[in-house]
Amino acid sequence: MGKEQQSQLDAILRQGGLDTAADVASVRAAFNALMAQVPVPADVQQKPVEIGGVGGIEVTIAGNESEGVILYFHGGVYVIGSAATSVPLVSDLVRRTGVNAITLDYRLAPEHPYPAAVDDGRAAYEGLLKQGMDPGQIVLAGESAGGGLAVATLLASREAGLPMPSCAFLMSPYADLTLSGETMFERQSLDPVLTPEGLRVRAPEYVAGADPSNPLISPIFGDLSGLPPLLIQVGSHEILLSDALRLAGRAATTDVAVTLYVTPGAPHVFQGFAGLLDEAGTALDRASDFVKAQLGYSPSPVDTA
């Protein structure tokens, strides 16, 4: 990453940063207003859909001929964000992979704490299977909390005896709601997006009295055996860096194929800034190559009884 690009993006993020510790209504409104300013290319088509009883947006680009689908989970610390706010990033992924996507409006805390989001993720995935989709043609993907939710959805689906999808692509996964990662504090001065204080406010709204080390809440504490290949991307300037590192380590030690890319100097979910950072485009190109290589591969579900 060019130092000039990095400095410019850092300044932009710090200037327009969200106060994730603010009251729920305020932070939601601020985030929605911010994301509404991000343009969506004219050739991107959006259609409201319902899959497995869960609402979402189907994101397509004319000319895509893949039989596959990306089931996408947006970020927002399980409290903010929506399918609509994820469309700019999702559409870039759709364009590069040639695979259309469904981005989910899973239920948010504090109105709907755990396990609502996981239940919605599993229901949507099962809904695709009930429509007759080959699991080997399904990709799970997500950023931040959505990255953690994608893994939790895999674990919940495995426990339910469902076949695994082809793969999962995780950007800056929020995978430890105990907030115990070393970089939570070591990278605090470098991270222009997230703060430990903000996460300490939001995490209890989702956990809501449950055990935050439950693998369906914090996948880094889970048995990941039997999961499909994972691609994990994270920036070195994130307080969530250690979430990604530990998740990759957990996958590797349970014989899950995992590829981890740590981009030096990059902020949280830097892939959303492909127009500003060369490395963001490179990361999405790597994701595209990964998705194309994995479609059609589906490991057998593991008996965890």
Side-chain angles (χ1 to χ4, degrees), residues 198-217:
L199 295 183
R200 279 196 290 267
V201 169
R202 299 275 84 101
E205 294 174 332
Y206 178 64
V207 176
D211 180 358
S213 64
N214 180 335
L216 295 181
I217 296 174

Side-chain angles (χ1 to χ4, degrees), residues 52-228:
V54 184
I57 298 174
E58 184 179 43
V59 180
T60 61
I61 295 178
N64 282 1
E65 296 180 356
S66 171
E67 296 178 358
V69 65
I70 298 169
L71 183 61
Y72 192 88
F73 303 87
H74 68 81
V77 294
Y78 291 105
V79 174
I80 64 176
S82 65
T85 61
S86 71
V87 169
L89 178 52
V90 171
S91 66
D92 203 353
L93 192 58
V94 167
R95 186 180 307 282
R96 292 169 191 261
T97 60
V99 181
N100 293 326
I102 296 173
T103 174
L104 283 186
D105 264 322
Y106 59 87
R107 288 171 291 171
L108 298 177
E111 297 90 344
H112 304 284
Y114 171 82
V118 181
D119 288 346
D120 286 352
R122 186 185 64 80
Y125 176 60
E126 190 170 10
L128 289 175
L129 297 177
K130 287 181 176 178
Q131 287 183 359
M133 281 215 67
D134 178 351
Q137 291 295 320
I138 301 173
V139 176
L140 266 56
E143 100 272 1
S144 194
L149 181 55
V151 182
T153 296
L154 290 173
L155 295 177
S157 298
R158 185 192 65 187
E159 290 179 4
L162 300 176
M164 289 289 95
S166 66
C167 60
F169 169 43
L170 316 172
M171 293 171 274
S172 303
Y174 180 31
D176 175 16
L177 273 71
T178 72
L179 309 181
S180 61
E182 291 181 0
T183 57
M184 187 66 58
F185 304 100
E186 292 175 355
R187 302 286 160 149
Q188 185 174 356
S189 63
L190 297 175
D191 193 326
V193 179
L194 297 176
T195 65
E197 292 77 17
L199 295 183
R200 279 196 290 267
V201 169
R202 299 275 84 101
E205 294 174 332
Y206 178 64
V207 176
D211 180 358
S213 64
N214 180 335
L216 295 181
I217 296 174
S218 300
I220 66 158
F221 299 111
D223 173 12
L224 306 187
S225 59
L227 266 57

